[in-house]
Amino acid sequence: MGNHTLELFKELGISPSHTRMMIYDFLSENKNHPTVDEIYQALNQFLPTLSKTTVYNVLNLLIKNDLVEAINTSDNEKRYELKIDDHSHFTCIECGTIFDIPRVETTYDKSKLPQFNIVHEQVNLLGVCNSCMKK
Amino acid sequence: MGNHTLELFKELGISPSHTRMMIYDFLSENKNHPTVDEIYQALNQFLPTLSKTTVYNVLNLLIKNDLVEAINTSDNEKRYELKIDDHSHFTCIECGTIFDIPRVETTYDKSKLPQFNIVHEQVNLLGVCNSCMKK
DNA sequence: GTCCTTGCAAAGCGTTTGCACAGAA
DNA sequence: TTCTGTGCAAACGCTTTGCAAGGAC
């Protein structure tokens, strides 16, 4: 896994520092859209001198290189995820958790939107998740 | 228009103060997803003692009453719109402008997502708008 | 009088910036 | 040496909170 990350970074010309690979691998292993604080808390055990600034620096670097995507949440806090598989999101309006779901297909006529050069689409379903429904 | 707003507020039990109706009417006439600051700047001419706190207060009140929806943008600033017509969004990745577009239909199988009670869906197309393409 | 809207000031909090230190090339 | 990754501290900007003054009823 780390080996794959190493090669990926080299291909993109990103110097593969320990911290950068740790953050990338963390996102690769934790598909729950963590916040900066959650990434920081988790990695601080292994990198005792880690700072949130570095987490921000690395995430923004990975975003520039199209490896990571930021999700803007309603509570003014961004969440981050690897930009690898094409999927959609379900957001629970009770607890705010974001779930990955299989890609939701859309149907629209591009010729009716000639004023836009559409390159990407996001679908977010909203509702109540299972554990919140039980409450 | 103001008359419609007055009745709408009364139905919902919202006391129809001048400031509240002004903010609602502003959103009704300006479908360009303004920020709090844009609303404040625009209405401050007519309400010289207006404060941003009041704009926040009113918007959050309208959100609670399902009249207004907040859009979370990538620049950590929320944008607001009336929650009336069912539409989708196109966001320009160059200038950040959000355009309303006709509702984009989705095709997914609800039975394959039994763990979620889906009540709403959002579609956001991303790309470059006309005026940014010319640059 | 009581309740509620408004708004000033301050706090809160996520994020970015300035800058310096240390390590890599 | 030069460049670059890291991290402390401070600044920044949007949003919320505390609280008091004034108006509505």
Side-chain angles (χ1 to χ4, degrees):
Chain A
M1 174 134 338
N3 204 9
H4 162 259
T5 308
L6 182 63
E7 287 175 16
L8 181 65
F9 276 26
K10 282 184 178 171
E11 278 174 27
L12 291 167
I14 303 173
S15 123
S17 78
H18 188 209
T19 309
R20 285 173 177 172
M21 303 228 296
M22 290 278 283
I23 291 175
Y24 182 91
D25 286 344
F26 182 82
L27 285 178
S28 163
E29 291 157 15
N30 299 80
K31 306 276 190 172
N32 55 341
H33 323 90
T35 64
V36 162
D37 193 65
E38 286 166 353
I39 299 170
Y40 169 76
Q41 297 296 342
L43 296 185
N44 198 28
Q45 322 172 36
F46 309 108
L47 303 168
T49 69
L50 183 67
S51 76
K52 280 194 192 175
T53 300
T54 298
V55 179
Y56 279 110
N57 286 339
V58 172
L59 287 173
N60 287 332
L61 175 71
L62 298 179
I63 288 173
K64 268 185 202 152
N65 283 275
D66 259 335
L67 293 178
V68 166
E69 200 162 3
I71 307 171
N72 309 302
T73 68
S74 58
D75 51 342
N76 309 321
E77 195 174 14
K78 290 186 180 172
R79 294 185 166 273
Y80 297 87
E81 67 178 352
L82 286 197
K83 203 178 177 178
I84 37 176
D85 30 281
D86 196 7
H87 63 272
S88 300
H89 287 140
F90 172 87
T91 304
C92 177
I93 55 180
E94 296 291 334
C95 62
T97 306
I98 300 169
F99 299 86
D100 285 348
I101 59 174
R103 173 191 166 87
V104 172
E105 301 289 339
T106 62
T107 56
Y108 62 93
D109 190 351
K110 261 195 185 181
S111 67
K112 287 193 178 166
L113 299 165
Q115 69 275 39
F116 303 129
N117 180 24
I118 300 164
V119 297
H120 190 221
E121 55 186 82
Q122 299 170 330
V123 178
N124 186 28
L125 305 182
L126 297 159
V128 185
C129 76
N130 212 348
S131 67
C132 284
M133 270 191 280
K134 289 175 183 166
K135 290 170 190 168
Chain B
M1 175 130 343
N3 205 7
H4 161 259
T5 307
L6 181 64
E7 287 176 15
L8 182 65
F9 277 26
K10 281 184 178 173
E11 278 174 26
L12 290 167
I14 303 172
S15 124
S17 77
H18 188 210
T19 309
R20 287 174 177 170
M21 303 227 296
M22 289 278 283
I23 292 174
Y24 182 91
D25 285 344
F26 182 81
L27 286 177
S28 162
E29 292 156 15
N30 299 79
K31 306 276 190 173
N32 55 341
H33 322 89
T35 63
V36 163
D37 192 65
E38 286 166 353
I39 299 170
Y40 168 76
Q41 297 296 342
L43 295 185
N44 198 27
Q45 322 171 36
F46 310 107
L47 303 168
T49 67
L50 183 66
S51 76
K52 281 195 192 176
T53 300
T54 298
V55 180
Y56 279 110
N57 285 340
V58 172
L59 287 173
N60 288 333
L61 174 72
L62 297 179
I63 289 172
K64 267 184 202 151
N65 284 274
D66 259 335
L67 294 179
V68 166
E69 200 162 4
I71 307 172
N72 310 301
T73 67
S74 58
D75 52 342
N76 309 321
E77 194 174 15
K78 290 187 179 170
R79 294 185 166 274
Y80 297 86
E81 67 177 354
L82 286 197
K83 202 177 178 178
I84 36 177
D85 30 280
D86 195 8
H87 62 272
S88 300
H89 286 140
F90 172 87
T91 304
C92 177
I93 55 181
E94 296 291 334
C95 63
T97 306
I98 300 169
F99 300 85
D100 285 348
I101 59 174
R103 173 191 167 86
V104 172
E105 300 289 338
T106 61
T107 56
Y108 63 93
D109 190 351
K110 262 195 182 179
S111 67
K112 286 190 177 167
L113 298 165
Q115 70 274 38
F116 302 129
N117 179 24
I118 300 164
V119 298
H120 191 221
E121 55 186 81
Q122 299 171 330
V123 177
N124 185 28
L125 305 183
L126 297 160
V128 185
C129 75
N130 212 348
S131 67
C132 283
M133 270 192 280
K134 290 176 184 166
K135 290 170 191 168

